[in-house]
Amino acid sequence: MGSLIMKNASIPSKLEGLIFNNRVWVIGFFVAVTLFMGYSLSNLHIDAGFSKLLPLEHEYMKTYVEHRQEFGGANRILIGVMTKEGDIFTPEFFDLLKSVTDDVFFIPGVDRAQVKSIFTPNVRYTEVVEDGIAGGNVIPDDFRPDPEGFARVKANILKAGIVGRLIANDFSGAIISAQLMEFHPNTGERIDYVEVAHILEDEIRAKYDKKDVNDQYDIHIIGFAKVIGDIADGVTRVVLFFGFTFLITALLVYLYTLSFKLTLIPLAASLMAVVWQLGILTALGFGIDPMGILVPFLVFAIGVSHGVQMVSVAKTRIIDGVDGMDAARSSFQRLLVPGTIALLSDTIGFVTILFIKIRIIQELAITASIGVAIIILTNLVLLPVLMSYLNFDEKYRHRITRQRDFLDPFWSRLAKITSPKAAGLTIFVAVLLLVLGGWKATDVKIGDLHRGVPELRANSRYNIDSEVISSRFSIGVDIITVIVETISEGCINYEIMDTIDRFEWHMRNVAGVQSVVAMPDIAKRINAGWNEGSPMWQVLPRNQDVMIQACAYIPTSSGLLNTDGSVMPVLIFTKDHKAETIEGIVAEVKKFRAKHDSEKIKFRLATGSVGVMAATNEEVSASQFPILLYVFLAIIFLCLITFRSINAMLCIVLPLGLVSLLAYALMSTLEIGLKVSTLPVVALGVGVGVDYGIYIFSRMRFFLSEGIPLYEAYRKTLHAAGIGVMFTGITLALGVVTWIFSPLKFQADMGVLLTFMFFVNMLGALLLLPALACFLVKPKSV
């Protein structure tokens, strides 16, 4: 078959003349746009939003959106005030707890009606007295901080049933709970979660947790806003690690090019692509999410990969004796089509992530797609134009010739992989890896695999705070709320309340559930109270009048029912938010729902932070394989259009599929879940792999079309493009391996994954691709 590259050779030639005959205008255009993008970049900001994590079209999130106004959202903050010894019943502790409660009340974006502590009027107790039911605030208006007053408060706490929720199980601490709104009620602007996190640190923890202020109490803070703030604070160090990566990359590029100018040009072009990417992002009104902070580096890495290929072709032509202009023109003409196809494949890889209906993932896809598309201009157009101004003397030509001669024995040995015996052995090893990788990849989990926040180190302040709160209380920020919808005044219908009570009992016995709070349990306690507190009366009354008596004193502010009693949330506090915990709990809810849903009562999943995670995990799980299918179908289509050969397409795609499978196996082995922060890296693995494969195959195919035997064609390919692929893979792998030491756990995980992908994709292109070509491609048949 003929080649699209050969048939359309006139297109690169015409573009070559247009671009290189107007170099000053081309450079002027790029400089002007870069200055504008740089100015736009000055407005770049961290843009974190809780709603961006929500798959709003998912069943659970429709429930969440429908009921969040009435029962609060999933974006909670918990502040634990803990004693280092003794209990909470001291004047000093109560003064401290009241001061913290007051400060939390005035944090921007806090829903003041949802702030809860023993000092807020929405936390009340009820009891049966001689005259009927009495109730009041847990901290009475006439409270005095003396033994009698503390005994009274302790009794009220027990009557209110808030031990384990707002008071530690061992009375060693108390919690202030608050809900954050998505938008500021006064300004209408989106809440800045980083600012909220800094207020929590500077005006809560720093104010009350200083040793010179007190040495008896600790402050522990958890919640989504705090996570975002801690990640954003770690961004400074992330940028520092990017700096190390850049320096390592620059050093290794210099060792390859042996020229300061040839080192500077691909690095500058790749950095320009990042500046354009972030500038366009800002101009479109987007910020950068802390979870997407790695995307600009991924764009830089892809840019360096393509830039080195340009330099590699130019070096080959310089050795042949041409000047800088001719070398640059040759690089442009030879790599424009394969480079564009490779970058289009990268772009499509990221665009397909848009099919996941989660805004944060869609923003990552848009950010990455913009960056990769820009590389087509900066690295395939500007880079060769800049190279055309360079002049190379005999001394430089001699240095790179010596470098080529030094590597020639290695390339000659490596080219032997195209022999039938070596190729067969390579394919056998690949099949073995395919089987082992496929077996291990089936164990990859969707979501988090560890307690705490996996984006942060286990010993981070946040994860320590989370562990303290979850160990002292029966609740945490990990909560999934099942919304029970029923008929009007369903809260006084015995059949309905009994079904909810059975559901509550069922969920208490599910692995991973820490505690359950629902209206029937409170009603049973009140009913017992009406009967002298006898345990035998702690049941749901069948008589409706008695049921009304039991439920009348449960206010809507408790969050356990709405105004007409037709909606009753069941709050399920989980021990953690690991993927297996969420899967097990959701499965049990669905199991119970399937048996008990009727026209009168429906159990709807789900609100709460774990409900959001469950919806996100299910969305990612449902989308991951279709997305990979779309990516590979797009790559297959582009390869078929470009090379007009099924065998050529197989040579490129099969190594790509193997590496993708091995990446999943690695994630399973390292216990890295597939989620929002890791999904773009999986897409990148496909993108980088196809870059390597297209560059290698396009050069090898060119030599084969001239009738050169496969061994010699591949040896020449290694000199022209193989060295660039090998060098890029090693350089980028060494650059990102330093991320393992990052304070952010998710960056460390990405460092491991990217190191693997950069290196193994390189091996796939240099070893498996020519081995497949031995059996699939013949000289002059391409």
Side-chain angles (χ1 to χ4, degrees), residues 748-763:
D749 290 341
M750 294 309 96
V752 174
L753 283 175
L754 289 173
T755 299
F756 174 83
M757 289 182 173
F758 288 145
F759 191 75
V760 178
N761 270 311
M762 175 201 73
L763 295 180

Side-chain angles (χ1 to χ4, degrees), residues 6 334 697-707 782:
M6 300 300 291
R334 291 184 183 181
F697 192 84
S698 63
R699 294 308 300 155
M700 184 171 67
R701 187 169 179 278
F702 172 77
F703 293 122
L704 289 173
S705 66
E706 295 182 343
V782 294

Side-chain angles (χ1 to χ4, degrees), residues 22 70 119 410 460 466 478 485 498 511 568 638:
N22 298 279
E70 196 165 26
F119 279 97
F410 174 73
S460 67
S466 179
D478 293 333
E485 295 179 347
D498 182 61
M568 288 168 278
L638 289 172

